Amino acid sequence: MSLVVGQSPRLTLTGDGVSLRNSRRNGEESKLFLVNRRRSTRAALVQAKPREDGAVASSSPSSKPPVIQYRRADLADDLQAEARALSRAVDASVYSPELIAKKHGSQPLKALRRSLEILSALVGFALKLGIDQRQGKLEVNMKKRAGELRRIFTRLGPTFVKLGQGLSTRPDLCPPDYLEELAELQDALPTFPDAEAFACIERELDSSLESIFSSVSPEPIAAASLGQVYKAHLRYSGQVVAVKVQRPGIEEAIGLDFYLIRGVGKLINKYADFITTDVLALIDEFACRVYQELNYVQEAQNARRFKKLYADKADVLVPDIFWDYTSRKVLTMEWVEGTKLNEQVAIESQGLKVLDLVNTGIQCSLRQLLEYGFFHADPHPGNLLATPDGKLAFLDFGMMSETPEEARYAIIGHVVHLVNRDYEAMARDYYALKFLSPDVDVTPIVPALRNFFDDALTYTVSELNFKTLVDGLGAVFYQYPFNVPPYYALILRSLTVLEGLALYADPNFKVLAASYPYFAKRLLTDPNPYLRDALIELLFKDGKFRWNRLENLLQQGSKDRDFSAKEALQPVLKLLLDPNGEELRLLVIKEAVRVSEAIALGTVVDTYNSMPVFLRSLVFSGNGNGPLAMSAAELESTLELRDQVSRIWSLLQSSESFDPAILQPIVQVLQQPEARRLGGRVAGGVGQRLAARFLQQLLRATTPSSSSPIP
């Protein structure tokens, strides 16, 4: 039995920030590695012809194995395969500051050499910053220095590339120029020898390479900081897969770097009083995430969970995991053919639209961040592919994060406060979001928020550029004692990346405009008490109901494909009839009376206008100039209210999920005792208002009216 190792052009497939390399070499013949565990020689080179698909045909006359389409195993088999993968990763390392201190503290010479390497790179950079500050050019040269820091991190290797990517999501630690430059970090690292990679696969999976794969690309398709990716065909089925293999010695190198970085963090916490964030805690949290990425079985579990939560939508694709060929250092997953999301020309040449794919990404990201809380923390273009059939494929699930449940609702409430320009409430939100400790006074922060947003919100919130919002908030965070939780920084990065991709296709694209339908839907349909309070806050102001806000919410919410008119109606009624809802009921009764009166008076006006002129004076007390004793402005306001309510009802009816049957549970709710009392109070209020109008009309018939006649 032999293993065919072929050539194929390198594409971005999966991995933590992969770099592209061309594997085709002019004038070089393809190489075929024959691997056999039973032989003393592990590999031999032979001549072979490349096939059209980039693999290499075996020179052996034996026919290739039949291709069997992959069929997803049933649940029991899948769980058993996952359990076997977990057993192969039972010795996976977990980040422990104490253990790395014990290990690397006993190797002072090795630590010293690495320290000198790091210091020689960073001290020069620090000196340049010092000179800039002394010459008053710190702001002028900030963009230039940020670029230099990015290149230094790239040269120092995987740990510092990861560190730079982490800093690019921390507006409380870095000025905007540094955030923008560090966000461009790419893991442009050299590959490691293929023989080492193949030996790692055999060792991890305890099988010969030829027994697992019928062909493997001769060189990595993509290289990343923690590993490299090969394209292969499974021998048992012919399925095309991506095989990610971990870089040898990476755990040792990263452990040493974090040991040294923690030492610096301790000094910063102790002596740098101007830095309010706990730097050591940030380092430990970041190191923990990197160590999780080193366990490929954990990444596979992340992918499975992500697929279960979000791939229920037809336009989202998450590759399947092959558990029997996955271990701590080897990850085998379904191969995804696709184009990077920032390659607009290539995408549109396939008849696809970048903006449609970006919108899919935004809606999926909002579900990740605010619905289930489990989200992809590294959504750079290399991890988002447009498939030929128009789906958005997510790759690389090594770095994931979670939004706490309380924070999910607080973020939506924060958006409501932004819409209302309630900067005091926005500042208080930072307590719930864990941005500020309870002992911090938010009073001085309110003017900073007001100054920024009053300038930014020249138009509506939906027209606000998200990057402008992030940069402005970043400046505020940098000036005040904020401690931005990692999940929130990653949320900002995720949406900023998606907006950046969209701007290539449409310079006028606004991610907030694309996100607003989701927020509107959640406010209208989510029964969570926090969101119900936020909805009340949005709709009522100074004791008055803002029908224009409700109309706008329904217009925006109906744009979300998951919007349901049924869900939008019932939670509101339940809230209204809550035993503790007396204050709200008073507001609703007052508004219901106004609406009922508007409908009744509007009907009178419509009837009057439909009559022949000679009948008007006969029916309306001998007055042919108008049916009601109202000023023109009052009548116009009344009719506008009637029309607005009518438009809102039409919006509900236009919902795809609208069915007159949805009124049945509402009728059942209205049969409750509290609802009957509420209806009685509304009817009484309407009766009083109409009686007053009737008396006014009678007086008009006998007394000259001072109001202008209504034609």
Side-chain angles (χ1 to χ4, degrees):
M1 185 181 291
S2 64
L3 168 71
V4 179
V5 183
Q7 286 189 332
S8 61
R10 297 195 180 189
L11 302 172
T12 299
L13 301 169
T14 185
D16 45 329
V18 297
S19 59
L20 303 182
R21 300 176 185 274
N22 191 350
S23 65
R24 294 194 181 277
R25 299 176 179 176
N26 294 331
E28 248 189 273
E29 294 178 325
S30 302
K31 296 179 180 180
L32 179 66
F33 288 90
L34 298 176
V35 182
N36 194 324
R37 288 170 56 92
R38 298 186 181 89
R39 298 178 183 177
S40 58
T41 304
R42 299 183 58 81
L45 301 179
V46 297
Q47 302 288 338
K49 276 187 178 181
R51 295 203 310 260
E52 290 184 359
D53 62 359
V56 176
S58 172
S59 56
S60 168
S62 61
S63 60
K64 69 176 183 178
V67 175
I68 303 171
Q69 292 298 321
Y70 172 72
R71 291 187 303 172
R72 189 176 180 84
D74 60 39
L75 181 59
D77 290 343
D78 199 48
L79 291 175
Q80 289 175 6
E82 182 181 356
R84 290 191 291 270
L86 285 169
S87 68
R88 288 189 287 271
V90 70
D91 59 342
S93 297
V94 177
Y95 175 69
S96 168
E98 295 77 16
L99 289 179
I100 66 170
K102 182 178 180 180
K103 178 178 181 179
H104 298 289
S106 63
Q107 301 172 334
L109 291 179
K110 188 175 182 180
L112 178 61
R113 284 195 299 269
R114 180 58 173 166
S115 298
L116 291 175
E117 181 184 359
I118 295 171
L119 287 174
S120 63
L122 296 181
V123 168
F125 177 75
L127 288 174
K128 291 179 181 180
L129 288 181
I131 294 172
D132 288 345
Q133 187 171 21
R134 188 170 184 178
Q135 295 178 348
K137 296 182 178 180
L138 200 61
E139 295 291 332
V140 176
N141 291 338
M142 186 173 290
K143 182 72 174 177
K144 178 182 177 181
R145 299 296 177 230
E148 291 176 359
L149 183 62
R150 174 179 58 81
R151 290 188 288 274
I152 288 172
F153 280 169
T154 301
R155 288 198 305 271
L156 286 176
T159 306
F160 286 86
V161 169
K162 288 292 181 186
L163 179 61
Q165 291 176 337
L167 287 173
S168 72
T169 68
R170 301 304 307 227
D172 55 332
L173 295 179
C174 299
D177 284 336
Y178 280 83
L179 296 176
E180 183 175 350
E181 193 69 33
L182 292 176
E184 297 178 8
L185 268 174
Q186 296 293 323
D187 298 352
L189 298 174
T191 61
F192 59 90
D194 300 312
E196 291 186 35
F198 297 153
C200 177
I201 294 174
E202 292 189 315
R203 185 172 57 252
E204 287 289 310
L205 302 181
D206 194 26
S207 298
S208 64
L209 204 63
E210 64 174 354
S211 68
I212 302 172
F213 306 113
S214 58
S215 68
V216 180
S217 56
E219 294 179 340
I221 299 298
S225 62
L226 302 184
Q228 56 196 36
V229 180
Y230 295 87
K231 182 179 182 180
H233 290 76
L234 290 176
R235 179 166 292 281
Y236 87 94
S237 67
Q239 178 82 10
V240 184
V241 293
V243 185
K244 184 158 72 169
V245 186
Q246 193 171 114
R247 188 177 295 274
I250 189 72
E251 187 177 319
E252 177 81 9
I254 286 177
L256 176 58
D257 283 346
F258 278 120
Y259 167 69
L260 299 174
I261 292 171
R262 285 193 91 255
V264 176
K266 289 178 181 178
L267 294 176
I268 292 175
N269 277 356
K270 187 173 182 179
Y271 297 109
D273 296 335
F274 61 93
I275 297 180
T276 58
T277 301
D278 185 347
V279 176
L280 197 60
L282 287 178
I283 293 171
D284 286 340
E285 183 171 356
F286 178 68
C288 184
R289 292 185 184 279
V290 173
Y291 266 73
Q292 287 177 357
E293 285 192 74
L294 293 175
N295 183 357
Y296 286 174
V297 172
Q298 178 64 56
E299 179 175 344
Q301 289 182 309
N302 291 340
R304 182 199 59 187
R305 182 181 175 191
F306 191 92
K307 186 182 184 77
K308 180 180 179 181
L309 291 176
Y310 309 116
D312 58 327
K313 303 300 180 185
D315 48 9
V316 173
L317 174 66
V318 179
D320 281 315
I321 301 296
F322 292 84
W323 293 102
D324 280 328
Y325 310 114
T326 294
S327 71
R328 179 168 62 98
K329 296 183 179 181
V330 176
L331 173 62
T332 304
M333 64 196 320
E334 178 185 2
W335 178 273
V336 177
E337 292 288 352
T339 309
K340 290 202 307 183
L341 213 55
N342 60 351
E343 297 179 359
Q344 181 182 351
V345 175
I347 290 175
E348 293 186 349
S349 67
Q350 302 174 57
L352 306 175
K353 294 183 179 179
V354 173
L355 288 182
D356 290 344
L357 292 159
V358 170
N359 270 311
T360 297
I362 289 173
Q363 299 307 315
C364 186
S365 293
L366 290 170
R367 292 184 70 206
Q368 294 173 50
L369 304 171
L370 302 176
E371 201 162 320
Y372 296 106
F374 182 68
F375 67 93
H376 198 296
D378 193 20
H380 63 72
N383 291 335
L384 299 171
L385 299 184
T387 66
D389 57 354
K391 294 183 179 181
L392 180 65
F394 285 81
L395 304 175
D396 187 5
F397 302 93
M399 186 173 286
M400 309 296 288
S401 188
E402 298 206 37
T403 311
E405 184 176 10
E406 180 184 2
R408 295 177 221 161
Y409 299 119
I411 291 171
I412 298 176
H414 198 60
V415 172
V416 172
H417 296 147
L418 175 61
V419 171
N420 286 340
R421 303 196 187 200
D422 188 346
Y423 303 123
E424 289 80 6
M426 284 181 67
R428 291 192 298 272
D429 287 337
Y430 297 130
Y431 293 133
L433 291 169
K434 309 299 184 186
F435 284 20
L436 298 171
S437 59
D439 59 336
V440 175
D441 181 16
V442 297
T443 304
I445 299 173
V446 174
L449 292 172
R450 180 177 290 109
N451 291 338
F452 167 67
F453 283 110
D454 280 348
D455 290 336
L457 299 179
T458 306
Y459 302 101
T460 64
V461 172
S462 63
E463 294 175 311
L464 181 63
N465 183 288
F466 191 75
K467 187 178 185 303
T468 302
L469 174 63
V470 172
D471 290 345
L473 283 176
V476 174
F477 293 165
Y478 190 65
Q479 294 173 18
Y480 294 95
F482 282 90
N483 184 20
V484 179
Y487 74 83
Y488 188 79
L490 291 169
I491 288 173
L492 297 184
R493 181 188 179 194
S494 175
L495 294 178
T496 302
V497 167
L498 287 169
E499 182 173 62
L501 292 170
L503 289 175
Y504 283 109
D506 180 6
N508 296 317
F509 182 86
K510 300 294 184 293
V511 72
L512 287 178
S515 304
Y516 200 63
Y518 176 85
F519 283 100
K521 180 202 72 173
R522 287 291 299 277
L523 281 171
L524 288 168
T525 63
D526 199 308
N528 179 270
Y530 188 96
L531 296 186
R532 293 276 62 82
D533 291 344
L535 178 61
I536 293 171
E537 185 178 339
L538 188 65
L539 296 180
F540 286 92
K541 184 177 182 181
D542 300 328
K544 294 183 178 179
F545 189 85
R546 296 188 281 189
W547 288 95
N548 61 321
R549 284 284 171 87
L550 178 58
E551 184 177 4
N552 182 55
L553 281 175
L554 287 169
Q555 286 175 340
Q556 294 295 328
S558 62
K559 295 177 183 177
D560 189 286
R561 59 187 176 189
D562 295 327
F563 176 77
S564 168
K566 179 178 180 179
E567 293 178 3
L569 290 172
Q570 293 188 61
V572 173
L573 280 173
K574 292 177 181 177
L575 175 68
L576 182 62
L577 302 178
D578 188 272
N580 299 319
E582 179 60 24
E583 184 177 353
L584 176 62
R585 281 193 289 273
L586 291 175
L587 294 173
V588 170
I589 289 169
K590 179 180 177 181
E591 199 60 34
V593 169
R594 285 185 62 233
V595 170
S596 300
E597 181 190 36
I599 293 173
L601 296 181
T603 302
V604 172
V605 171
D606 290 344
T607 302
Y608 176 84
N609 290 333
S610 66
M611 287 182 174
V613 176
F614 74 92
L615 284 179
R616 294 178 181 177
S617 59
L618 296 177
V619 176
F620 292 94
S621 305
N623 182 14
N625 292 326
L628 302 172
M630 301 173 67
S631 67
E634 186 181 5
L635 180 60
E636 182 180 359
S637 175
T638 300
L639 294 179
E640 172 58 26
L641 175 60
R642 190 270 309 264
D643 294 343
Q644 204 161 38
V645 173
S646 178
R647 288 196 300 271
I648 289 172
W649 177 245
S650 297
L651 283 171
L652 289 172
Q653 287 181 304
S654 65
S655 169
E656 291 184 5
S657 61
F658 182 83
D659 186 333
I662 69 171
L663 297 177
Q664 183 176 354
I666 296 176
V667 172
Q668 294 174 356
V669 172
L670 291 176
Q671 291 175 352
Q672 298 177 12
E674 188 59 48
R676 294 176 183 175
R677 288 192 290 270
L678 179 63
R681 294 165 70 180
V682 171
V686 172
Q688 292 177 11
R689 291 290 293 267
L690 292 179
R693 291 287 184 191
F694 181 70
L695 287 174
Q696 190 177 31
Q697 198 71 19
L698 287 178
L699 291 173
R700 176 185 173 185
T702 56
T703 307
S705 175
S706 60
S707 62
S708 302
I710 307 303

